Every structure is written in C-alpha cells, then in structure tokens.
Amino acid sequence: MTDNPLLAPSDLPYGLPLFDRISDEHFLPAFETALAEHRAEIAAIVDDPEPPSFENTIVALECSGQLLHRVSQILFNLTAADANDARRAVQTEIAPRLAAHSDAVHLDAALFARVDAVHARRDELDLTPEQDWLLHRTHVAFTRAGAGLPEDKQARLRELNEELSRLETRFQDNLLADTNELAVLVSTRDELAGLSDDAVTAAAEAATARGEDGKYLLTLGLPSAQPVLASLENRDLRKRVFTASVSRGGRGNEHDNKEILATIARLRAERAAVLGYPNHAAYAIEDQTAGSAEAAVSMLERLAPAAVANANAEAAELQEDLAADGVEGELQPWDWAYYAERVRKRRFDIDDAALRPYFELERVLVDGVFHAAGKLYGLTFAERSDLAGYHPDVRVWEVFDADGGPLGLYLGDFFTRDAKRGGAWMNNLVEQSRLLGQRPVVVNNLNITKPADGEPALLTYDEVTTLFHEFGHALHGLVSDVEYQSLEGTNVPRDFVEFPSQVNEMWALWPEVLANYARHHRTGEPLPQETAAKLEEASRYGEGFRTTEYLAASLLDLAWHTIGPDAEVDDVDRFEAEALQKAGVALATVPPRYRSTYFAHVFSNAYAAGYYSYIWSEVLDAESVEWFRENGGLARENGDRFRAELLAKGGSVDVMEAFRAFRGRDPQLQPLLERRGLTAA
C-alpha cells in the first residue's frame, strides 16, 4: 500500500498523526513494514564490523524501530479511546507478534553481547550523566528480559510472552463488551430522582443512542463505586447499578474473565520463575523505587488498620442515617455513597449537585488547569481548530513555553463513549527527544458524561481533580527535556509516575486558581468563599472508605502476583475473598476499588503488581505539597525548580536521587498519614 499515511512521518505540526487520512486497513500493512524495518536495523547493529561502542550500539538501538513505535502508539491509543471491531481485530493479531518481536530483539545473543561489552567498559567511556544512565537502563532491559538465560529457558519465555499478550488483550475486550452490555436501562424519569437535570438528559440520550427511545441508560465507569450512587434516591435502582458494576467480567457468559485472569496470574508467575524470581511481584517491583514486594506490602499493611477503623466509624454514622430513613437491616455497599453524601451535606453544607454549575469544563480547563500551568511554568495554550484529532470530540492545543517558543501539542478527549475504555489516562503520541528532533504530543482521556447539544459540560468535584491529575501526567511529557526518547517524561518507574500528577491535584483547591475557574456557568458569580473553604474541609471526609477500597485493590493485586507458578486457582471469588480477609481489608460495605474480573490496571495494563504505586507515589506527593506550601505556593520560582529538578528530567536520572535533591531529604511518611487521617496507624 504505497499511499499508506502511517509509513512516513507526519508533515503536520509536531508530527501529529494524520488521523483524517488513516484508515483501519492501513494498520496491518504498516506493522508488516515496520517489523521488517526494525529487524533490518537490528541486523545492521549486530553485523557492524566495528567494535561495540556507545554510538554504534546503544545510540543505534535508541534510534531503531521508530516506524514500529509510531504505528504502535497510534493503534493502541485508538483501541483505548475509540475502539471498533476492525481496530480490536488488528490489536488481537498484532499484540502477540509484537511480544515475539520484542523477545527476538532482547534475546538476540549477538546483540546482547555488544550491549554487554559496552556496559563492561562503562567507567572508561567518559559519558555524560544521561548517556551513562541510558547505558545502564539498556543493559537492565536486556538482562530483565532474559538475555543471559540458556536457550531452553529463552524459548519458554517467548511462548509465555506471546500467550500473555493474547490473554491481556482478551481481558480488555471482554471488559469493554461487558461494561457496555451491563449499562442499566431505566424505564421512567421518576426512578432517577436525585439525579440532576443534565444527568437525566445525558441518560436519555445514551438510551436513544442504543435504540431505546423514551428510556434512560446509566452507563458504567471503571471503579466498583459508580458516581450516580451518591445521588440516586431509589434504593432498588442503586442496588441494580452496584450489582451490574461488580459483576462485570464474572457472569459466566462469553465475556467472562475469571479463567483468563487466573491464567494470566499463573503464567506471569511461571515467567518470573524462568527469570529466577519466586513470583511476578518480586520480579516487577525489584526494578521500581520500592525495591521489593515486601517493602510495598509492608507500607500497605501499615496503613490498613487505621483505614479500616476509620471506614468502620464512617459506616456506623451512615447506618444511623439509614435507620432514620426507616430502612431496616444493615447498610449495604450500594447505600454507602448515597448516605455519605447526605452526611457530607449536613456536616459541611456541601452539595455536589449544587457545586456542579460552578465547575464547567471549559472554565476548569482554561481558567483552572491551564491557568495554574501558566503561573507555575509560564506555559500558554492556543487552541488549534485546524488540527484534527482521532475523533470529533478531541480538541488540540498548541503549547508555548515561557519565552514564547513552541513546546508541543496537548490533545483533550474528555467525554465518555461506548468505544472508549473506562477511567482516565494520558498517552504519548509523539515523545520528546533532542536526538530525534521531536517535541511532545500528548493526549488526556477522561470519561465525563457528554452534555446535550448546546448545554455546558458540568463536572463533579471528583472530575475536576481528575482533570488536574491527568494534566499532571501531560505536563510530565510536555516539559520533558532529554536527549533520548526512551528516557523522556513519564518513562520512569511505575511507582514514581503518579507522583507529578498527584502534585498537580493540589492546585484544584488553591485559592487563586479556584477563584479563577469556579464560577457559575450562567451568572458568572464566583463560588462563595465560605463554600470554597467548606469544600476543602469536606474533601477530607470519607478517607476511611477511600483508603480502604484502594488498599483492598492494591493488596488484591499483590495477592494475585505473589502466587507461584504451580498455583491453580479454580475459584476466583474464593481466592479474592480469602486474600482480602488475610490482609484485614474484607469489609462487606467497602468492596475493593476494582474486583479481579474488571481490574484492568493489572490484567490488561501496565500496573501488574504495581497498583500500590498510587499511594507509594503519594508519599512523595504529600512531601512536595508541603514543600510548595513552605515556599510560597503558586509561584514561578517554585514551578521552575520543580520542573528543572524533576519534571524535565523524566527518566534520565535516578528519580529518587532527583527527589532527594529537590526536597533536601529522604521522603517521610508522616505528611501522607496526616493527609489521610491515618496518624493512628
């Protein structure tokens, strides 16, 4: 296919992919060409008659595979954000081939011999710090992939990696299909009492889109606790929504994930054993800042008793409200959010529904998120309506640095749709590299309910903080300033990657920022100052529930990934229940944030044995928030230092050394304990 737009670099600004020219049938031919090209590039490195050097081996490897990388970035962004049958079919076919190709590179004995030879002379090469770190990380990548293993073990690794890539793709496909299938159809408007008018309108439009005119459809987000549970007055409907949410991937139908996830866990354990580790968690966490699974588990276990105690205290208060309503029996998980919201309103005089008119998406983004980035880093944003995204909802901004020079592109894809997986995330479409002459192109995905035509998109406060959070990831990519693409931005240890995004959440409630964006979308009136103060106080309510549901998911992840290769889990529900009971986080009213059958973070994404990363990173986040407050908060000098010492360096340094240089000490747990009300732990 000679006119395949994937085969040549885009001529659009910053290399933005030519989405308006790319068709689904372009992908497989592009992958065929890209795989062949990368094989040829690797062969050229191996066959180089010159002795191995940093330039002809390490830099050559860094420059190889650019076409394959580009095509992969585009496809996997689309299958996450705008999937269809054709794209999923391509992913299903190509994922195991990409796994096999990666193994062919990393298990190439002659190639590893060259890498090893350069690494052995590391101290003699007079490398820059970034070059030295690239050499180190390249050698680590080969050894952790099994480059030093005998041929029989390498052969088994190849088989395991291919099969795992197939299963992980099937898990995600099943989850998307079951999530769409389990959306809750409601017949009458009266059943939706408690929902805002715009939420009801969105539910009506969602039903119409599914061919159910005159009805209402409540679609499901990724976590166990669905946002509508906080508003719905109808207890039976709350139960329907909750039951649908926690049954995803586990109903014994064609989309059932139980056998798949158990097999994934067992095969990961076998792969770890082949590589010389007792289990997958030991293998995965060794290369993270935590250093060991024991360190991660120890931290989670330290937090669990106080979190559970706080959750039980919260439950007792909610039980009183339930009884006051004349409801007999025990508080149920589908009651928690509804009564917690009532308690929050009573205690803090805060009503989420009443707040939403002050959180209009455009203002939150431009006058909140972009405004804070301007104050901290001097960045400015200009929308580029002449540049097309991959879907009509995607918007594109050009980002300029403090000196007015071009920095990159930011894409925002904010609304939910059936073709998009749940959750919120950031992807790179183009990664920054001085060596390759590339500036970053990054995309943020959220799952905000799309408003009716002509109506504003009004956010919950949780959605506001999610937008600030994901933009923190985007900043990590946008302000990256490294030589080598593989070390840019978010290419850092998994348990560090959430740190910059969590820090960026602090600006959502920073008085100067909040006052700039929190204005009523009709009247323009600012959010009353007393309401803002109550909002900050109320944001700390419910930490028992939030911490417990998170810890339950994190400990469940580690339970699955500390099994041995001979483990045969024939009952996923029993395994899950026993793991939660053993960890001390088995509360009937507080299910894990994700149950196993829809735990996409660990069974189809990159967080396997790494979901603990959020709270591990939050230790650094809480320390950094304290530093900002100690040093004057929202100020250019603070932003410039945070950018220079942490964000811009990406993964080109030892990130914990960079953090210590920034903070002036090792991270301490106390700020996190105080933030989450866990000082009794």
Side-chain angles (χ1 to χ4, degrees):
M1 190 177 294
T2 56
D3 60 346
N4 190 328
L6 290 167
L7 294 181
S10 167
D11 58 3
L12 291 177
Y14 305 92
L16 177 71
L18 299 161
F19 289 117
D20 57 345
R21 290 178 49 199
I22 296 169
S23 298
D24 294 339
E25 61 267 22
H26 290 135
F27 280 106
L28 277 179
F31 273 112
E32 297 290 356
T33 300
L35 286 164
E37 181 178 291
H38 196 206
R39 285 192 293 267
E41 291 167 340
I42 296 300
I45 297 171
V46 170
D47 295 339
D48 190 331
E50 294 297 317
S53 69
F54 181 80
E55 288 294 330
N56 71 19
T57 300
I58 306 304
V59 175
L61 266 173
E62 180 75 10
C63 293
S64 70
Q66 290 302 310
L67 175 58
L68 182 59
H69 184 70
R70 183 170 70 245
V71 176
S72 298
Q73 294 280 80
I74 295 170
L75 175 70
F76 294 127
N77 183 79
L78 289 174
T79 55
D82 195 28
N84 59 30
D85 289 344
R87 292 167 185 170
R88 282 193 290 267
V90 174
Q91 181 174 353
T92 298
E93 178 174 343
I94 206 65
R97 294 179 60 188
L98 291 177
H101 176 75
S102 177
D103 282 340
V105 173
H106 288 99
L107 301 180
D108 185 315
L111 180 60
F112 179 59
R114 293 184 68 93
V115 171
D116 202 38
V118 179
H119 187 263
R121 298 172 49 235
R122 183 179 177 187
D123 296 336
E124 308 167 12
L125 299 179
D126 194 26
L127 302 175
T128 67
E130 185 175 341
Q131 289 173 332
D132 184 68
W133 192 249
L134 176 66
L135 174 56
H136 165 65
R137 293 306 307 167
T138 302
H139 192 263
V140 165
F142 275 82
T143 54
R144 284 178 55 80
L149 294 177
E151 287 186 11
D152 60 330
K153 290 190 175 183
Q154 288 190 357
R156 182 56 182 152
L157 271 181
R158 295 173 195 265
E159 293 170 353
L160 289 167
N161 287 334
E162 285 192 53
E163 180 61 17
L164 280 166
S165 70
R166 291 190 187 93
L167 291 170
E168 289 159 3
T169 299
R170 282 181 59 198
F171 183 98
Q172 184 63 57
D173 288 346
N174 282 347
L175 175 55
L176 179 61
D178 221 33
T179 298
N180 288 335
E181 191 173 298
L182 279 164
V184 176
L185 190 65
V186 179
S187 299
T188 67
R189 171 67 175 84
D190 289 346
E191 293 175 88
L192 300 178
L195 288 191
S196 63
D197 289 342
D198 61 300
V200 172
T201 300
E205 292 191 346
T208 298
R210 298 269 189 102
E212 297 284 354
D213 289 332
K215 296 183 179 181
Y216 306 86
L217 192 73
L218 301 178
T219 57
L220 301 177
L222 193 56
S224 298
Q226 300 297 313
V228 295
L229 295 177
S231 303
L232 288 171
E233 297 173 8
N234 186 313
R235 195 183 190 213
D236 288 338
L237 182 54
R238 294 202 305 267
K239 182 178 180 180
R240 284 180 61 198
V241 171
F242 175 83
T243 302
S245 178
V246 298
S247 65
R248 284 171 293 166
R251 297 186 291 153
N253 62 358
E254 61 182 325
H255 308 311
D256 194 277
N257 272 332
K258 289 182 178 178
E259 183 178 348
I260 292 171
L261 72 89
T263 304
I264 287 172
R266 179 176 54 78
L267 294 182
R268 285 175 177 166
E270 183 183 350
R271 181 175 60 186
V274 171
L275 290 164
Y277 295 84
N279 52 59
H280 179 77
Y283 167 74
I285 301 177
E286 178 194 60
D287 198 39
Q288 306 301 310
T289 66
S292 71
E294 290 76 16
V297 170
S298 175
M299 180 190 183
L300 299 178
E301 289 180 341
R302 177 177 176 184
L303 300 176
V308 169
N310 288 356
N312 284 330
E314 292 165 12
E317 185 173 21
L318 304 186
Q319 182 71 51
E320 292 178 4
D321 266 45
L322 183 76
D325 271 356
V327 179
E328 296 183 0
E330 297 298 313
L331 182 79
Q332 298 298 325
W334 49 86
D335 296 319
W336 189 294
Y338 179 75
Y339 285 99
E341 181 61 18
R342 284 207 347 198
V343 170
R344 200 167 75 107
K345 287 178 186 177
R346 182 173 66 244
R347 182 176 299 174
F348 305 105
D349 194 22
I350 289 290
D351 182 345
D352 268 346
L355 286 174
R356 291 179 71 239
Y358 292 92
F359 297 146
E360 192 270 321
L361 173 60
E362 192 73 11
R363 290 208 69 133
V364 175
L365 180 67
V366 175
D367 298 331
V369 173
F370 290 173
H371 174 72
K375 288 291 186 180
L376 283 167
Y377 310 111
L379 306 186
T380 54
F381 302 80
E383 188 158 11
R384 293 289 302 266
S385 56
D386 58 315
L387 297 178
Y390 49 84
H391 185 277
D393 287 345
V394 179
R395 299 167 64 185
V396 183
W397 285 265
E398 187 169 10
V399 187
F400 298 93
D401 215 337
D403 62 2
L407 193 63
L409 292 180
Y410 171 72
L411 280 65
D413 184 0
F414 303 120
F415 299 125
T416 190
R417 51 182 172 268
D418 287 352
K420 183 191 285 191
R421 68 174 170 86
W425 67 94
M426 169 267 196
N427 274 348
N428 293 296
L429 289 170
V430 179
E431 291 162 318
Q432 182 270 326
S433 166
R434 292 196 300 271
L435 175 69
L436 300 173
Q438 294 176 176
R439 296 186 185 275
V441 178
V442 303
V443 55
N444 272 164
N445 269 276
L446 275 70
N447 267 282
I448 297 165
T449 300
K450 190 173 183 178
D453 289 343
E455 293 298 315
L458 305 180
L459 311 186
T460 65
Y461 178 66
D462 282 348
E463 289 170 336
V464 170
T465 57
T466 296
L467 182 53
F468 274 86
H469 176 100
E470 295 305 329
F471 191 75
H473 287 305
L475 281 170
H476 207 177
L478 285 167
V479 304
S480 174
D481 186 16
V482 299
E483 187 76 10
Y484 303 108
Q485 175 179 269
S486 63
L487 303 178
E488 69 80 45
T490 55
N491 287 327
V492 295
R494 176 57 61 189
D495 56 9
F496 188 88
V497 75
E498 296 297 334
F499 157 57
S501 55
Q502 289 170 331
V503 170
N504 205 58
E505 289 181 33
M506 74 176 288
W507 308 117
L509 281 177
W510 196 259
E512 178 185 343
V513 179
L514 185 68
N516 203 54
Y517 75 81
R519 293 178 175 271
H520 197 284
H521 73 100
R522 296 197 188 280
T523 67
E525 290 296 311
L527 185 72
Q529 189 171 1
E530 61 271 20
T531 304
K534 291 175 183 176
L535 179 61
E536 181 162 12
E537 185 181 4
S539 69
R540 293 189 286 272
Y541 172 71
E543 280 295 352
F545 176 91
R546 284 192 292 270
T547 306
T548 300
E549 69 157 2
Y550 168 78
L551 293 175
S554 300
L555 289 159
L556 181 59
D557 167 31
L558 290 170
W560 279 113
H561 291 108
T562 50
I563 66 171
D566 297 326
E568 291 289 346
V569 178
D570 54 11
D571 188 330
V572 167
D573 291 336
R574 186 173 68 233
F575 178 93
E576 184 175 289
E578 290 175 352
L580 297 175
Q581 189 69 39
K582 181 180 178 182
V585 288
L587 276 67
T589 51
V590 186
R593 183 165 174 79
Y594 305 102
R595 293 191 62 188
S596 304
T597 56
Y598 51 91
F599 206 165
H601 284 76
V602 303
F603 289 114
S604 66
N605 289 334
Y607 279 83
Y611 196 66
Y612 78 91
S613 300
Y614 287 90
I615 206 159
W616 190 272
S617 294
E618 196 180 342
V619 173
L620 309 182
D621 158 36
E623 280 270 33
S624 299
V625 168
E626 188 175 83
W627 179 88
F628 271 105
R629 293 187 186 281
E630 290 169 354
N631 288 278
L634 189 77
R636 269 296 301 280
E637 56 267 29
N638 290 340
D640 285 347
R641 184 178 172 199
F642 188 68
R643 174 179 178 173
E645 297 192 15
L646 288 164
L647 294 182
K649 291 181 178 179
S652 67
V653 296
D654 181 314
V655 293
M656 290 308 297
E657 288 185 9
F659 178 83
R660 292 184 192 98
F662 168 76
R663 189 64 178 105
R665 68 183 191 213
D666 285 328
Q668 299 175 7
L669 190 58
Q670 192 63 24
L672 172 66
L673 297 177
E674 293 173 357
R675 170 194 286 188
R676 286 188 172 250
L678 302 176
T679 49

